[in-house]
Amino acid sequence: MSDGAREVACPLTVRHEPVLLEEILAALQIRAAGIYVDCTLGGGGHAEKILQQLSSDGLLIGFDQDAEAIVRVSRRLAPFGSRAKIVQGNFRHVAALLKGAGADRVDGILMDLGLSRYQLEGDAGGFSFQSEALLDMRMNRDASIPTAGDLINGGDPKTLRKILVEYGEEKRWRSIVRAVVKAREQAPIRTARQLADLVVRALPGARRYRIHPATRTFQALRIAVNDELNALREGLQGAFHRLNPGGRLCVISFHSLEDRIVKQYFQTLEKGCVCPPAMPVCGCGKTPSLRRVHRRPIVPSPAEVQRNPAARSARLRTGEKLSE
Ligand SMILES: C[S@@+](CC[C@H](N)C(=O)[O-])C[C@H]1O[C@@H](n2cnc3c(N)ncnc32)[C@H](O)[C@@H]1O
């Protein structure tokens, strides 16, 4: 299987346990009385393990944009009482969310990107190919944003092309856009399954693919609907600024678009002077503000992948804040 194919296969695979758990706990270097943030609570697996390492003086603040996740995780973390503060919100507003939770600076932050197994298993959001649910794909279903159905049935061909190419890296976008435009002239494409079947029919030979032929289309739509890449960019910046020096930012991503954003952000912070090489003396005064804890991303061990195949595309990057 090509690397690209492997990368996009994962977000639609159900994840049954927290990914890279031991690696995350080690990377965060948890202090029992510290303040830690889980920006993507999901089922609460990582959050629960972090809380188990905190003393009564420690605090975990957790976010998720999905209201159902908040209800579920609140039940799971209830035994930790006031040591767990749970807030519904998008991590792109991490600074404001932390302020609302009464925290100015924190000691470690986790982002475990993508969908949780609950979002896929129940699949009321139309995230997976077999789903008879309406094409929605909003992670926060209270948000007034266009759904996947709105984009598929209302987006002009140029917009559809942009989504498929930029967010799905889909080389066969022409056939897919043509098929979508033709189909919706007859009747709206309503369910996730209808779209998946249409993509299969639009791509000759698709049935021989090792991943579902609609994988890239679904990934692209989900990213577009939730504006995931911009949310990540903003979330990284907000998170970094709220870290105490010595604090660590851990990000688990599942496809190359996300991983590239994390890598480039860390590299920018890691750099010192950014003056043009021709400048005889530094005028920018910029010094490195982050250290990459490991040069290459950490990936799951073969044993973890065997236990939990959905972990196979995970990549963990960790940055340690050096200074403001
Ligand atoms: C992969 S799951 C996290 C799993 C979790 N670490 C666990 O151990 O169960 C990702 C979660 O992040 C949430 N999410 C994704 N993007 C988000 C964002 N921009 N802001 C807040 N939550 C987000 C999703 O709703 C989902 O519940």
Side-chain angles (χ1 to χ4, degrees):
M1 194 183 299
S2 78
D3 199 40
R6 184 173 51 77
E7 283 167 0
V8 294
C10 188
L12 295 171
T13 314
V14 173
R15 293 160 58 178
H16 285 284
E17 57 175 276
V19 168
L20 291 165
L21 179 59
E22 293 309 320
E23 292 82 352
I24 285 291
L25 295 176
L28 282 172
Q29 294 193 313
I30 296 170
R31 282 192 306 106
I35 304 180
Y36 294 87
V37 182
D38 183 344
C39 289
T40 48
L41 283 166
H46 288 106
E48 184 177 62
K49 292 291 177 194
I50 294 170
L51 275 158
Q52 284 168 356
Q53 300 204 1
L54 298 182
S55 69
S56 54
D57 295 327
L59 177 65
L60 176 112
I61 304 172
F63 312 126
D64 202 294
Q65 60 177 328
D66 176 348
E68 284 175 29
I70 292 293
V71 171
R72 208 170 29 240
V73 88
S74 299
R75 272 200 300 268
R76 181 169 183 175
L77 303 183
F80 296 97
S82 58
R83 276 189 288 155
K85 261 194 193 173
I86 296 169
V87 183
Q88 186 185 355
N90 190 313
F91 64 58
R92 74 193 310 162
H93 307 303
V94 60
L97 291 170
L98 284 176
K99 199 166 169 208
D104 184 32
R105 294 291 153 144
V106 302
D107 299 301
I109 301 182
L110 166 65
M111 291 180 179
D112 175 16
L113 304 172
L115 295 175
S116 78
R117 71 183 173 106
Y118 299 97
Q119 288 163 320
L120 288 165
E121 276 177 343
D123 201 7
F127 291 108
S128 55
F129 317 124
Q130 311 300 338
S131 175
E132 296 295 352
L134 293 180
L135 267 176
D136 186 322
M137 297 199 190
R138 287 169 303 163
M139 287 193 215
N140 171 3
R141 276 192 275 138
D142 302 324
S144 337
I145 52 176
T147 64
D150 294 333
L151 296 178
I152 278 293
N153 291 300
D156 60 54
K158 256 195 188 157
T159 307
L160 293 178
R161 171 191 171 273
K162 187 170 149 54
I163 291 173
L164 289 174
V165 172
E166 279 185 22
Y167 302 148
E169 296 179 315
E170 175 57 84
K171 292 195 179 68
R172 304 182 75 183
W173 60 269
R174 263 191 204 85
S175 309
I176 299 172
V177 172
R178 211 178 297 129
V180 164
V181 171
K182 194 167 163 209
R184 72 188 191 188
E185 276 166 13
Q186 308 300 314
I189 302 158
R190 291 171 53 77
T191 67
R193 192 185 191 128
Q194 281 174 353
L195 177 64
D197 291 349
L198 182 146
V199 174
V200 171
R201 288 195 303 274
L203 302 179
R207 287 183 201 282
R208 291 195 304 275
Y209 287 13
R210 294 190 62 180
I211 57 168
H212 193 290
T215 301
R216 289 175 183 280
T217 301
F218 274 56
Q219 171 186 299
L221 281 170
R222 201 196 79 200
I223 291 177
V225 166
N226 297 289
D227 194 20
E228 288 179 34
L229 303 184
N230 286 323
L232 176 59
R233 289 187 188 98
E234 290 167 30
L236 287 172
Q237 282 195 19
F240 179 75
H241 288 299
R242 292 287 138 191
L243 269 182
N244 279 320
R248 290 184 167 188
L249 174 55
C250 300
V251 188
I252 305 176
S253 60
F254 284 85
H255 56 75
S256 53
L257 296 174
E258 291 168 342
D259 185 54
R260 204 173 303 144
I261 290 173
V262 181
K263 179 177 161 187
Q264 287 173 354
Y265 183 60
F266 282 4
Q267 283 174 337
T268 310
L269 295 175
E270 199 181 35
K271 260 199 195 148
C273 169
V274 288
C275 293
M279 287 263 288
V281 208
C282 170
C284 72
K286 185 176 177 301
T287 55
S289 52
L290 174 136
R291 174 178 80 85
R292 275 187 289 166
V293 172
H294 25 262
R295 304 304 295 177
R296 298 183 61 77
I298 290 188
V299 297
S301 65
E304 177 170 359
V305 175
Q306 194 172 26
R307 241 182 11 252
N308 179 17
R312 67 187 178 280
S313 311
R315 283 180 160 76
L316 166 64
R317 293 191 186 267
T318 303
E320 181 178 287
K321 187 164 185 172
L322 299 174
S323 59
E324 289 305 325

